[in-house]
Amino acid sequence: MTVDRRGFVIRTGAGAAGLTIGLSGCGPGEGGAARRPGPEGWPTDPDALAAVYRDNIYTRRLGVRPHLPAHEHVSRLGGGRMDPEVIAAMAEANEFFVDMHELLEAAAARIAERLGTEAALVTAGGFSAMVLGAAGCLTGTDPERVHALPLPT
């Protein structure tokens, strides 16, 4: 079945909510530092907790100071934590090379199947989903307007 951009946006609600699947992560830092568990396994002693926040992958590699996660999941503050199953799947996937076009099509088909929708689209994040939804609204099914992006008249 072929679905145009406008149909995709309407059927999946991508224009309103920006359905996204994001994958990101970091391995342990340099020097053999062990991967620390989530906050539920972190030290409760204030000095030990301060040490974790002073010495972590972000401070060691980039000089960026983490903040205490006393908020809901917010993308600009690091998003949410990944389940161990997700991290394990990423580690296994990291061992192989695949055609990215084939991967994106297969992932989109799987997501659509799981959601019970006609189509899905894998994006780099929420903002990317909104941009693609807006592009679909601007261009409709007109190939000339699609090729004129980012400035369709």
Side-chain angles (χ1 to χ4, degrees):
M1 168 204 285
T2 302
V3 178
D4 62 41
R5 284 185 186 90
R6 186 175 309 272
F8 169 78
V9 170
I10 291 168
R11 286 183 188 90
T12 64
L19 173 65
T20 61
I21 303 295
L23 296 176
S24 64
C26 281
E30 295 170 0
R35 185 177 184 87
R36 293 183 176 96
E40 63 279 351
W42 284 16
T44 55
D45 172 58
D47 292 332
L49 186 59
V52 168
Y53 273 82
R54 277 192 308 272
D55 180 28
N56 57 72
I57 192 166
Y58 292 108
T59 57
R60 281 192 307 275
R61 294 194 175 181
L62 302 172
V64 174
R65 183 176 160 215
H67 59 85
L68 291 173
H71 53 75
E72 72 279 4
H73 296 223
V74 179
S75 293
R76 70 179 186 81
L77 297 177
R81 291 193 173 85
M82 293 181 282
D83 290 332
E85 294 86 359
V86 173
I87 295 170
M90 289 172 57
E92 182 178 350
N94 189 50
E95 297 299 318
F96 302 94
F97 296 94
V98 297
D99 180 276
M100 291 305 293
H101 294 291
E102 184 180 349
L103 175 63
L104 289 173
E105 285 182 22
R110 177 73 171 137
I111 292 165
E113 174 189 317
R114 294 290 307 248
L115 293 175
T117 62
E118 294 181 29
L121 178 67
V122 177
T123 69
F127 189 77
S128 297
M130 290 188 296
V131 167
L132 291 171
C137 292
L138 286 170
T139 62
T141 59
D142 184 347
E144 289 184 25
R145 294 185 108 183
V146 171
H147 291 294
L149 287 173
L151 302 170
T153 56

